[in-house]
Amino acid sequence: MTRPTPRKPRSPTSSRRRSTPTASTKSTSALASAPKEAAPLDAWVLLWGVIASLNWCLAASALASRNHLVMGYRTLVAGPPQLEPLMVSQPAFLAILALASAWFFAFWRHGCSSFGCPPRLKIALLSWSLAALPFGLSLLQLATGFELERLFWETLWLSGWTGFSFVYLVAAMRDASMHDAREAEQGGSPRQPALRQPSKVTGRRLSLALVVVGTVLTGSLWFAQSHTYYNNFQLGFNDFAHFTQRIANTAAGRGVLMETPVLPPFWDHFNPGLLLLVPLWELTHDVHFIFAVQAVALTSGGLIVRKLALQSGHGDLNSAAWGLAWLAQPVLGQMNIAYTYGWHPISLALPLLLGSLSALLAGRLGLAAGAAVLAMSMEEGVIVAVTLFSAAAALQCTSLFASTHRLQPNSGEVISNSDNTIRPTQTLGLSLNSWIGITVVSGLTFFAVYQWSGIAEFQTGRFVALGNSATEVILSPILKPAVFWGQLLQWKNLAFILCLLLPCNALGLALGWRWCLACILPLGVLCVWDHLPATCLAFQYSSTLLPILWFATLQGASRLPAALSRGAGVGALACGLTLSLFVGQLPYSSASILDVESQSYAGTPNFTRQADSDDGRWLLEQVAAIRNSGAETLATGRIAAHLVGNADIETVGQFLQRRPQLSLLPDRRNQPLQHYRWILLDRVESFQQSPEETARIEAEARALGFQSVADKYDIVLLELQ
């Protein structure tokens, strides 16, 4: 057997000879390396974008023509489906047009690159198309003649998909920019001239300027809104005036935070932090300082959220989007008017809680603790929020719930030296034992406040359907399962929760779920509470959860892929602006509290007392005279709000409830009505009392010797002779 002859190795010379390109291969190589021309936007994709944007505008306009009530989450329809897009208000239409134009410009300008239509752009386009589904259902109704009920869920659908689309649209823009950068490095030509990127310093200043401008504009709007409602007799004595009266009574030496002599200072809420506002009242003696404090407290959160976003690793402009998204969320504007109840002290806790979280991330534990304690002094619900947040942080110190994503070194987390990940024994710079200690202390504080401040009877009474004591309420899922689950599993609860969560960005919340654990129990309590305002977006009950939710979404969004993380803030902003079309309190928002406004003067449709109307001017003259006297006054609710600072103010409805206790006071002589020098009654106002109750008080007062000083426009002023 002969062995195969081995092949002769190739010489370097022959190898070089074989690899020498021919003229043909030279031309092919030259063509390949030549700069590529940017491919034009695909006509079919462009047409899809145009149609989707048009459908989105029609869907948003149709929904904005309706009135979506935040109490019960019902929808009032103004006309047939085919006419709804034409019935939208001009401010709402301009807002819709601006949002749609921003989306389409970004889609056309940055969306499609020379490597085709990127997957994230397709997701953005598909989501934008899905958002307009409600309009498609309206067209289906017209085509088939099948009657479809128009419901609140359509607003949530459109807003949620709109925010999701903007997230992926911004991500696609980043993909396209990176592709263009690679093309430029390889000698290719970008599809569009690159936008000039600001420097680090310029970007930081621009980010701050955007949020400052948004904060000033929004704060000015909400101050003006409160002033308008107040002047037009649309704010009630509860809540804003009866809390302000406690401040005025303290300043005048009539009792520390006393509202009425028959109840303890904290009979409804634990808020010793109101004492901090006493000096401001002594300087102004005007309720407008409360409107300013409310506006600052609500809007300053935008600046702190921007700071939190920067601390969480988000870029400058993305952080600005997060700060503006805080201002755009509907719940914030609704809290300003609060279903015409006005200011509530809990609003002061929002910037304090956000500031405490920012201090934690910065490692300034003393400042964080001080801000948290001050926030807890504004309302007992804040103590619960701090307790549950601390418990969630403690869980993350365990191996089961520990987050192992990488964080920036200056994030406030303890970073291990080996792999730059969080140590499982620490969260936000504190150990497991520290968080357990904070949880126990704050929990015991709440228990003490609940038991001994005077709020127990009042707050437990609101759960009467579940039980007559705190123990029965806690055990109600077992003792009264039908009642418990029947209250929990209601549509209004789901609508309420989605109105809170969607503007925070669902993607960020999903990855920040560990922090969201702190919100489960409070949301469950609100949903089973036999108190309709508990799940109303306009009331303060959910406000303590907002700092936790926004902290959770900022932490979660920082863990998203870089492109999606960059778009998360814009998506939250777009979602908030869209949802505010329907349930917000921005200039373009639809009316969402028509029900309570109509209840103010029941039986008299379209009737209000305006500051510039004849009856309004006359009423303000009577109010001014009573305020100058400073004497004790009984009045209907909307009028009583204008008499803050007088020696004793009581509303008709609360006087009737408290009458048995008032009659036992030594200075009332078993006839508490004669304690008041003035009685000012609006016979048609029925927000905080019925016309029948008002008539009863008037008749009784006249029988006791009160004389009519003025009687006009269905308003009577009585004075004790």
Side-chain angles (χ1 to χ4, degrees), residues 632-702:
E632 298 83 358
T633 307
L634 176 68
T636 46
R638 300 296 194 194
I639 296 176
H642 288 253
L643 298 171
V644 172
N646 276 37
D648 190 4
I649 301 297
E650 193 66 88
T651 63
V652 169
Q654 290 185 332
F655 171 80
L656 293 174
Q657 294 175 5
R658 299 169 179 172
R659 186 170 189 161
Q661 292 78 23
L662 290 170
S663 63
L664 298 177
L665 295 175
D667 61 337
R668 308 296 167 103
R669 301 184 306 275
N670 294 322
Q671 186 43 263
L673 198 59
Q674 290 182 322
H675 167 73
Y676 304 101
R677 176 185 172 187
W678 303 100
I679 297 180
L680 183 55
L681 305 174
D682 188 337
R683 297 188 181 103
V684 297
E685 193 232 301
S686 56
F687 175 58
Q688 293 177 309
Q689 65 284 308
S690 67
E692 292 76 18
E693 291 174 332
T694 302
R696 195 170 90 200
I697 290 293
E698 181 182 354
E700 185 177 344
R702 291 182 183 276

Side-chain angles (χ1 to χ4, degrees), residues 240-378:
F240 112 85
H242 85 139
F243 284 121
T244 310
Q245 181 67 18
R246 300 178 194 188
I247 298 171
N249 285 338
T250 304
R254 292 189 287 263
V256 177
L257 298 181
M258 184 198 73
E259 178 192 344
T260 174
V262 298
L263 289 173
F266 307 127
W267 66 270
D268 55 348
H269 292 294
F270 179 74
N271 39 33
L274 288 177
L275 293 172
L276 297 174
L277 300 180
V278 172
L280 291 177
W281 173 263
E282 291 180 327
L283 287 174
T284 62
H285 289 277
D286 191 333
V287 297
H288 284 81
F289 95 89
I290 286 293
F291 302 153
V293 167
Q294 168 99 326
V296 170
L298 294 177
T299 57
S300 60
L303 293 167
I304 307 175
V305 166
R306 171 190 169 272
K307 177 66 174 177
L308 281 169
L310 289 171
Q311 291 174 305
S312 301
H314 297 279
D316 292 325
L317 296 182
N318 191 23
S319 297
W322 280 113
L324 294 174
W326 168 270
L327 300 174
Q329 59 177 328
V331 64
L332 210 64
Q334 290 289 352
M335 282 179 59
N336 184 53
I337 295 300
Y339 207 64
T340 73
Y341 282 78
W343 170 69
H344 194 286
I346 202 171
S347 64
L348 302 179
L350 294 181
L352 292 170
L353 285 175
L354 289 170
S356 178
L357 293 171
S358 179
L360 270 178
L361 288 179
R364 304 177 67 180
L365 302 183
L367 180 60
V373 170
L374 196 56
M376 290 189 286
S377 72
M378 298 301 170

Side-chain angles (χ1 to χ4, degrees), residues 41 102-118 121 168-180 191-197 566:
L41 193 67
W103 186 95
F104 186 77
F105 176 78
F107 167 76
W108 172 77
R109 176 67 170 74
H110 296 282
C112 285
S113 64
S114 55
F115 65 93
C117 186
L121 185 68
Y168 274 86
L169 181 62
V170 174
M173 291 168 56
R174 184 179 184 276
D175 291 342
S177 298
M178 293 180 65
H179 177 267
D180 286 347
R191 24 173 209 96
Q192 296 282 1
L195 296 177
R196 183 180 178 182
Q197 297 297 320
R566 184 178 179 181

Side-chain angles (χ1 to χ4, degrees), residues 160-227:
W161 283 111
T162 297
F164 193 76
S165 177
F166 269 90
V167 171
Y168 274 86
L169 181 62
V170 174
M173 291 168 56
R174 184 179 184 276
D175 291 342
S177 298
M178 293 180 65
H179 177 267
D180 286 347
R182 289 193 298 267
E183 286 288 311
E185 290 176 358
Q186 297 172 4
S189 61
R191 24 173 209 96
Q192 296 282 1
L195 296 177
R196 183 180 178 182
Q197 297 297 320
S199 65
K200 183 68 175 177
V201 175
T202 303
R204 185 64 55 92
R205 290 175 178 174
L206 178 60
S207 168
L208 179 60
L210 287 173
V211 182
V212 167
V213 170
T215 299
V216 172
L217 291 178
T218 311
S220 301
L221 167 68
W222 288 339
F223 175 84
Q225 188 183 52
S226 297
H227 171 75

Side-chain angles (χ1 to χ4, degrees), residues 319-619:
S319 297
W322 280 113
L324 294 174
W326 168 270
L327 300 174
Q329 59 177 328
V331 64
L332 210 64
Q334 290 289 352
M335 282 179 59
N336 184 53
I337 295 300
Y339 207 64
T340 73
Y341 282 78
W343 170 69
H344 194 286
I346 202 171
S347 64
L348 302 179
L350 294 181
L352 292 170
L353 285 175
L354 289 170
S356 178
L357 293 171
S358 179
L360 270 178
L361 288 179
R364 304 177 67 180
L365 302 183
L367 180 60
V373 170
L374 196 56
M376 290 189 286
S377 72
M378 298 301 170
E379 209 253 23
E380 70 282 353
V382 183
I383 307 177
V384 176
V386 171
T387 302
L388 295 175
F389 179 86
S390 302
L395 285 176
Q396 294 184 65
C397 291
T398 65
S399 58
L400 181 61
F401 287 91
S403 174
T404 57
H405 65 281
R406 297 173 184 268
L407 292 180
Q408 300 297 326
N410 62 348
S411 65
E413 299 282 12
V414 176
I415 308 296
S416 69
N417 295 325
S418 57
D419 58 358
N420 202 36
T421 58
I422 307 172
R423 291 177 182 170
T425 56
Q426 291 197 348
T427 302
L428 298 177
L430 292 177
S431 66
L432 173 62
N433 290 336
S434 299
W435 284 117
I436 291 177
I438 296 172
T439 302
V440 171
V441 170
S442 55
L444 291 176
T445 301
F446 173 76
F447 178 79
V449 167
Y450 184 81
Q451 286 296 117
W452 297 308
S453 69
I455 68 174
E457 181 179 354
F458 175 74
Q459 297 294 356
T460 305
R462 290 180 166 181
F463 292 88
V464 65
L466 299 178
N468 296 320
S469 66
T471 303
E472 291 181 2
V473 171
I474 294 172
L475 296 177
S476 59
I478 301 173
L479 300 178
K480 294 184 177 181
V483 177
F484 177 86
W485 295 108
Q487 290 187 0
L488 181 64
L489 303 177
Q490 295 185 49
W491 152 249
K492 67 178 181 64
N493 295 336
L494 178 60
F496 163 66
I497 292 173
L498 289 177
C499 283
L500 285 179
L501 300 187
L502 285 178
C504 298
N505 187 278
L507 294 175
L509 288 175
L511 291 182
W513 64 270
R514 294 172 180 83
W515 297 111
C516 294
L517 293 175
C519 300
I520 294 177
L521 179 60
L523 286 175
V525 170
L526 293 178
C527 290
V528 301
W529 197 351
D530 190 22
H531 185 53
L532 192 58
T535 52
C536 176
L537 201 65
F539 282 84
Q540 80 281 358
Y541 299 106
S542 62
S543 58
T544 56
L545 304 181
L546 294 180
I548 300 176
L549 291 173
W550 283 81
F551 181 79
T553 194
L554 288 172
Q555 294 296 303
S558 67
R559 300 177 59 193
L560 289 167
L564 295 180
S565 178
R566 184 178 179 181
V570 177
L573 175 60
C575 181
L577 291 172
T578 304
L579 192 56
S580 287
L581 276 167
F582 318 118
V583 292
Q585 288 291 343
L586 295 177
Y588 60 80
S589 303
S590 302
S592 55
I593 55 173
L594 284 175
D595 48 349
V596 68
E597 291 175 350
S598 64
Q599 289 174 14
S600 293
Y601 301 99
T604 51
N606 302 320
F607 177 81
T608 56
R609 299 203 185 278
Q610 303 291 324
D612 57 353
S613 62
D614 292 338
D615 58 339
R617 286 191 294 267
W618 181 85
L619 178 54

Side-chain angles (χ1 to χ4, degrees), residues 81-94:
Q82 63 270 28
L83 297 181
E84 282 184 326
L86 304 177
M87 301 172 68
V88 65
S89 67
Q90 184 177 6
F93 175 75
L94 293 177

